Amino acid sequence: MTAGTGDVIQPATHDGDGVDVVAAAIARRGPDADPVDVGGDLDQLALALDALGRHAEALAASAAAVTAVRSVASARGRRAAVTVLGHYAQHLENSGRHREALAAAAESVHIAQTLLRSEDDEVGPGDRAALATAEGRLAAHLAANDLPTEALDAARAAVARYRSLVEDDAVYELGLATALNGLGNRLAAAGLDAEALDASLESVRRFRGLDADDDDVAHGLASTLNNLSLRLNRVGRHEEALETMRECAERYRVLVEQDPDTHQAELAMVLNNISVDLAGTEHVEEAADTARQCVAVYRKLVGEDPERYHGHLATALLNLGGRLSEMDKMQAALEATEESVGMLRDHATEPRGVERLGEGLAHLANRFAEAGDFAAAVESSNDSTTLIESLAATDPGRYRSALAEARCDSAVLLDEAGRLDEAAAMAETAIVVVRELTEADPDAYTATLAVVLTDQARRLDRLGRKEESAAAARDAIVHYRFLNATEPELYGPWLVEALDDLAGSLRELGLDGEAATAEAEAAELRGSE
């Protein structure tokens, strides 16, 4: 079947013998071999090496493939370049070289477009499909470079091109199904949840209509079901999302049984997603069991390719810690989280690694608190906050929200540890940041600001700082009124509670008139419930 387009290259199945076979074929070609044939062999060698975890060698082979096919100006050479450059872009992406990957993907699209505009008599539907594939891959690389608008445009172009092809020949259905999967991702990233869901639903429908025994179809359907579950969750259809994810996991299990070396990572990802979806539900045992399965798969993968899967295992262990905590298995939860943080420390050498370590330490602080070790909890929380503060100092726009969350969490843990003065001081620094966020995006952060102010008002009251407590409560009420105006069922009870708190503080301050006004407003709200 015609290859499709999506966010990643379809996994290749290779073993060491396969690498040797391709390498031997290259050696036999000799110095006068056709550069296009050599480039094709090198491209296959790169895919084989990558599947074995030999990423540096894969990248080198892929670069050599690009050099070979670029040397041929014919239509045949350009066709080969479109494919080889697409694969080269993915190898670069896997190596963290996002800008270079984008450049390679853009060159692939440009060559495909040039070929279609040429007067070559052999240009046909296959070349249009190759351009659609290249556009889909370009969309993923644009997204990886924080260019969401351009990514969405490229994904739409890929789908439109495949729709045109399918009208004339059903052989391109796989390409369209896969392109729709990629488009769903781009629409979701743009916040267009309804359109994203429609694209994912159509993708699944088209995959189900194809040959289920075809490897590309089986893998594409499993991948698309994973994305569909995310789309369903985004629109609040959680039960359907969970059932979709369970089907996805079963399909990946079948794929792993058929080819254990190729689909393990995708199975682990799906297991992790299921466990996260089950978090906080009545399915606590299933959530923990699924998290254990996920960790087991990632441990195997780390043994084979530690560079690629180290971070995934650390994340899976954090999730396992949370699920074990929900089952009140505190010691096991703590051990899983400590192992994760230890792994994250080893890779906190660049901003993303530092951010992930900060997140891990926040989880560890919660596990310590649940175990009753508040001194250790506060220490971990402070370490987390310090790391996020260092990131925010260099890139405040990107890390301001994470900084607010870290300071809020630290204030709560200091409070639970009985260190009220420190908790109040930390909360004040958090409130400053949350105010900035609320000014920039009221819809996203007003509720957070109201909650943080309410907590601070109660904390200050316990410290005997009654006037400051009343001021914080007044401030919180202003924001709760704003929220209550549009969502009274959700925020009305919170507003009533804040008014009751304020009235109590005002009575203690002797401000009976203002207290009576607050009490009257609370009573009126109760009567309207």
Side-chain angles (χ1 to χ4, degrees):
M1 302 186 81
T2 301
T5 176
D7 282 5
V8 295
I9 300 170
Q10 298 290 335
T13 303
H14 292 288
D15 54 23
D17 292 338
V19 170
D20 293 340
V21 168
V22 178
I26 295 170
R28 284 196 301 271
R29 288 196 181 277
D32 298 325
D34 182 344
V36 174
D37 291 336
V38 173
D41 286 345
L42 286 165
D43 186 42
Q44 289 302 308
L45 176 62
L47 293 173
L49 289 165
D50 189 70
L52 292 172
R54 295 160 62 178
H55 309 304
E57 295 170 81
L59 182 58
S62 184
V66 170
T67 299
V69 298
R70 273 181 178 157
S71 68
V72 181
S74 67
R76 179 168 173 264
R78 282 180 287 173
R79 286 188 180 92
V82 171
T83 299
V84 170
L85 279 163
H87 291 170
Y88 181 50
Q90 191 63 52
H91 292 304
L92 287 165
E93 186 71 34
N94 292 342
S95 300
R97 295 161 63 174
H98 306 300
R99 290 184 181 277
E100 294 171 82
L102 176 58
E107 183 181 353
S108 176
V109 168
H110 174 71
I111 293 172
Q113 290 171 332
T114 302
L115 185 60
L116 284 181
R117 290 194 296 265
S118 72
E119 298 179 358
D120 191 305
D121 292 338
E122 295 183 4
V123 170
D127 296 302
R128 292 163 58 199
L131 174 55
T133 298
E135 288 169 329
R137 288 177 178 160
L138 176 62
H141 293 296
L142 286 164
N145 281 272
D146 295 323
L147 296 168
T149 301
E150 295 86 344
L152 181 54
D153 289 343
R156 288 190 192 278
V159 168
R161 203 172 303 279
Y162 265 120
R163 285 197 193 282
S164 176
L165 287 162
V166 165
E167 289 177 2
D168 298 325
D169 192 340
V171 74
Y172 297 107
E173 277 283 355
L174 174 58
L176 177 55
T178 315
L180 283 162
N181 186 28
L183 176 60
N185 292 340
R186 304 288 76 81
L187 289 164
L192 302 172
D193 294 334
E195 288 184 65
L197 177 59
D198 287 342
S200 294
L201 285 168
E202 183 182 354
S203 178
V204 167
R205 177 175 60 79
R206 289 184 179 275
F207 271 117
R208 291 195 194 279
L210 297 170
D211 181 5
D213 294 327
D214 183 282
D215 290 343
D216 288 339
V217 172
H219 174 262
L221 177 55
S223 174
T224 304
L225 285 167
N226 177 53
N227 288 332
L228 175 59
S229 72
L230 301 177
R231 305 292 93 82
L232 289 165
N233 263 329
R234 285 278 287 267
V235 299
R237 293 162 62 174
H238 303 300
E239 287 300 320
E240 292 173 80
L242 182 57
E243 287 308 309
T244 300
M245 187 63 71
R246 285 172 171 151
E247 180 188 350
C248 175
E250 287 308 308
R251 290 185 177 275
Y252 271 120
R253 286 190 175 100
V254 171
L255 289 168
V256 168
E257 288 175 5
Q258 296 170 346
D259 184 3
D261 296 329
T262 303
H263 299 288
Q264 294 270 8
E266 291 161 303
L267 174 59
M269 175 191 68
V270 171
L271 291 170
N272 188 72
N273 289 346
I274 292 175
S275 178
V276 171
D277 281 352
L278 290 169
T281 71
E282 68 272 18
H283 306 292
V284 290
E285 291 188 8
E286 183 184 353
D289 185 56
T290 307
R292 288 190 193 96
Q293 294 174 41
C294 174
V295 167
V297 177
Y298 275 129
R299 286 197 194 281
K300 180 177 182 294
L301 290 168
V302 167
E304 299 168 355
D305 190 351
E307 180 182 350
R308 175 171 288 188
Y309 295 110
H310 178 282
H312 294 284
L313 176 56
T315 300
L317 284 164
L318 282 183
N319 178 50
L320 176 59
R323 305 296 72 77
L324 291 169
S325 171
E326 290 176 350
M327 296 181 68
D328 294 327
K329 296 184 176 181
M330 301 309 181
Q331 186 57 39
L334 180 58
E335 289 172 0
T337 310
E338 286 181 313
E339 181 182 356
S340 174
V341 169
M343 297 177 70
L344 293 170
R345 285 189 195 279
D346 294 337
H347 286 70
T349 55
E350 41 79 34
R352 178 55 185 146
V354 173
E355 181 181 12
R356 295 186 67 198
L357 175 56
E359 293 168 353
L361 285 164
H363 281 265
L364 183 59
N366 290 334
R367 302 291 84 81
F368 276 127
E370 290 163 355
D373 190 346
F374 289 104
V378 168
E379 182 180 356
S380 292
S381 181
N382 287 343
D383 289 345
S384 172
T385 302
T386 299
L387 288 173
I388 302 302
E389 285 174 341
S390 70
L391 293 170
T394 57
D395 191 349
R398 179 171 183 175
Y399 294 107
R400 185 176 286 114
S401 179
L403 176 60
E405 183 177 359
R407 286 178 172 174
C408 287
D409 290 346
S410 185
V412 170
L413 286 170
L414 285 164
D415 195 330
E416 291 178 351
R419 296 160 63 172
L420 290 183
D421 286 315
E422 294 173 76
M426 179 63 73
E428 285 300 327
T429 67
I431 289 168
V432 170
V433 181
V434 179
R435 283 192 196 282
E436 294 172 354
L437 290 166
T438 304
E439 289 174 5
D441 191 350
D443 291 339
Y445 293 101
T446 297
T448 300
L449 179 56
V451 170
V452 173
L453 285 165
T454 298
D455 289 345
Q456 181 71 335
R458 292 168 180 170
R459 190 176 292 118
L460 291 167
D461 183 73
R462 298 199 327 267
L463 284 166
R465 294 158 61 177
K466 302 295 184 180
E467 292 184 358
E468 293 174 79
S469 173
R474 291 188 189 101
D475 198 354
I477 287 167
V478 169
H479 298 294
Y480 278 131
R481 284 176 180 144
F482 172 80
L483 294 164
N484 185 61
T486 55
E487 296 186 73
E489 291 185 2
L490 178 60
Y491 293 108
W494 294 17
L495 175 55
V496 169
E497 193 172 338
L499 286 163
D500 287 340
D501 287 348
L502 176 60
S505 295
L506 293 170
R507 292 287 185 193
E508 292 183 27
L509 289 168
L511 301 173
D512 295 334
E514 187 182 351
T517 301
E519 289 164 349
E521 183 180 353
E524 183 179 351
L525 287 166
R526 285 192 181 92
S528 65
E529 291 178 356

